Amino acid sequence: MAVETERDAQLDPFRYRARRVVVTGAAHGVGAALLEVLAALDVGHVSVLDVETPSGPHDAFLATDLADQDSVSRALGHIEGPVHALFNNAGVADTQPPQTVLSVNYLAVRTLGEGLLDRMPEGGAIVNTASLAGNLWRKRAKQINEVLDLSVSEGWAASLRWFESNLPTLDQTPYNFSKELVEVYTLRSSRTTMRRGVRTNSVCPGPVDTALLPHFRKTTSDKIIDWNIREMNGRAVSPSEVATTLAFLGSPAASYVNGVNLDIDAGFSAALATGQVDFSGRT
């Protein structure tokens, strides 16, 4: 493994030479694209957590059911430090049971981030994959903070019980609510991690052209997805466009970027905020 000097890092801050990273959900889609991007950036070591073995370049594979607390805890015990970047990328759609959605999309994210923090040196980064679907979190800030106030040490059970009891009144789907949780958790945890020299950010892409897209069409409708794509830039986001952004946020090139939920939507959110979105054909 090449040894990266401080001079190397200054001259080429995007490189991952000698850096050890962890990626969840790397068998398909954005995670698979991220493995290719990291390899091109000369990553030192990649550990993958997934239920399926990835075909892309990696050094260690830990078969992990990210919907199961015990499985995630076992994986944590097998990850060797240092960990320079954690990419919490795995996610599932509402075609899965609601509690699975909350577990994979939020609880595993939090468990891994907090569980690996002690193994992350100064200059490290946690990058969570959220979604444009989480951008309405302000409407549910009170409920979201109730969930976030339940610590991981209390176990997943308390969060899942809260979710089961409150889902009927949230006026939100499990997937969207899970991504709202990730966005606010990113904001809240970034202060704590930065005090240890570790940055925390998230990416919030619009519809991505992966195998999950048909699942979103099934749960949301073709009409909504097609409208969203039309109003973004006429096409879905590509996996590599998300992966390269993830890699940037996890690299020293983003050394002063912290607590950001970064939209990857070709300006859709900007147009929405300034009244430039055409809502015709949405309903």
Side-chain angles (χ1 to χ4, degrees):
M1 180 186 299
V3 176
E4 182 182 47
T5 67
E6 183 177 348
R7 178 68 172 167
D8 290 334
Q10 290 173 343
L11 291 175
D12 201 354
F14 294 96
R15 292 288 171 185
Y16 276 74
R17 293 189 188 97
R19 296 176 73 81
R20 299 175 63 90
V21 309
V22 175
V23 181
T24 70
H28 305 284
V30 170
L34 179 59
L35 294 186
E36 300 295 340
V37 170
L38 291 171
L41 293 172
D42 301 323
V43 68
H45 187 279
V46 178
S47 295
V48 171
L49 277 61
D50 205 330
V51 291
E52 296 183 52
T53 306
S55 59
H58 64 283
D59 301 281
F61 170 65
L62 297 170
T64 309
D65 180 357
L66 292 162
D68 181 79
Q69 183 181 11
D70 291 338
S71 183
V72 175
S73 296
R74 285 193 298 272
L76 273 171
H78 287 91
I79 297 173
E80 297 181 4
V83 175
H84 297 93
L86 165 64
F87 296 98
N88 278 313
N89 170 73
V92 294
D94 282 329
T95 47
Q96 295 289 323
Q99 292 204 342
T100 298
V101 173
L102 189 76
S103 296
V104 174
N105 293 2
Y106 161 66
L107 289 169
V109 167
R110 181 169 183 176
T111 301
L112 290 169
E114 295 181 10
L116 290 175
L117 187 57
D118 286 343
R119 280 166 260 183
M120 302 187 77
E122 185 171 351
I126 298 170
V127 192
N128 303 319
T129 299
S131 170
L132 280 188
N135 284 11
L136 294 178
W137 62 263
R138 292 169 182 81
K139 291 186 175 182
R140 279 162 289 277
K142 178 178 181 296
Q143 296 97 319
I144 288 168
N145 282 306
E146 284 180 10
V147 178
L148 297 184
D149 286 341
L150 299 170
S151 67
V152 168
S153 63
E154 297 175 81
W156 291 22
S159 295
L160 292 173
R161 283 195 300 269
W162 185 100
F163 185 57
E164 185 175 358
S165 297
N166 290 274
L167 181 58
T169 63
L170 288 177
D171 191 31
Q172 187 58 287
T173 66
Y175 176 83
N176 287 11
F177 185 67
S178 72
K179 295 303 184 178
E180 291 175 349
L181 284 167
V182 172
E183 287 202 29
V184 181
Y185 179 66
T186 296
L187 298 177
R188 280 183 43 159
S189 63
S190 65
R191 186 71 168 175
T192 301
T193 62
M194 194 60 184
R195 285 173 175 154
R196 302 183 60 126
V198 175
R199 299 174 296 103
T200 300
N201 297 288
S202 86
V203 297
C204 306
V208 186
D209 188 14
T210 70
L212 268 181
L213 190 54
H215 292 257
F216 293 121
R217 288 185 177 278
K218 183 176 180 179
T219 58
T220 304
S221 80
D222 286 333
K223 183 173 287 189
I224 294 294
I225 295 296
D226 290 340
W227 167 81
N228 199 170
I229 290 172
R230 184 194 78 193
E231 290 300 306
M232 285 198 306
N233 197 28
R235 64 171 176 83
V237 188
S238 74
S240 63
E241 287 170 324
V242 181
T244 51
T245 307
L246 288 169
F248 163 69
L249 289 173
S251 77
S255 61
Y256 215 73
V257 180
N258 184 52
V260 171
N261 291 314
L262 179 59
D263 294 334
I264 306 176
D265 63 359
F268 171 80
S269 297
L272 192 64
T274 53
Q276 300 180 74
V277 169
D278 178 4
F279 287 92
S280 66
R282 186 178 186 275
T283 57

